[in-house]
Amino acid sequence: MTTCASFLRRRGGRRVTNGEAPDDWRPFPEVGQGVNEIRIDSPDGWFRVMYVAKFEEAIYVLHSFQKSTRKTARNDVEIAKTRYRAVVAERKTSK
């Protein structure tokens, strides 16, 4: 994941923290409202980062992973869904 992390820091993540859209992304509503996926294609493989940036206090990275096929694995989607629900629940209890 080093390639993904360094790329994200250099390009994708900086744009998101500045309120802009990354270069290559798509909405991922199957995980939750406001969830997006950054797509990173590098010589080392396909990497994905699922995040939600709709909350005022933070950008939450829900899951990052390397893909081996064109379709996102159900397990990766489920991990992101579980973490999204945890973020929403935590925000409700901390208010």
Side-chain angles (χ1 to χ4, degrees):
M1 271 324 250
T2 303
T3 301
C4 177
S6 63
F7 180 90
L8 186 60
R9 267 192 246 90
R10 284 193 322 267
R11 294 179 51 200
R14 185 169 295 130
R15 293 190 71 154
V16 172
T17 57
N18 289 336
E20 303 169 26
D23 291 334
D24 190 4
W25 68 280
R26 74 176 186 103
F28 215 100
E30 303 93 293
V31 171
Q33 184 180 6
V35 175
N36 295 314
E37 175 187 63
I38 297 174
R39 300 180 289 205
I40 302 167
D41 296 335
S42 79
D44 295 330
W46 297 332
F47 299 91
R48 300 295 185 259
V49 178
M50 291 184 183
Y51 71 96
V52 62
K54 71 176 188 172
F55 302 121
E56 187 175 304
E57 74 279 2
I59 296 169
Y60 295 94
V61 175
L62 304 173
H63 188 40
S64 62
F65 53 97
Q66 184 171 6
K67 288 180 72 169
S68 56
T69 64
R70 294 194 55 80
K71 184 167 175 53
T72 302
R74 177 83 354 235
N75 184 53
D76 289 315
V77 174
E78 290 303 319
I79 289 169
K81 278 183 180 180
T82 299
R83 292 175 179 169
Y84 178 82
R85 287 191 297 266
V87 166
V88 170
E90 176 64 28
R91 290 184 81 252
K92 283 182 181 177
T93 60
S94 66
K95 286 187 175 186

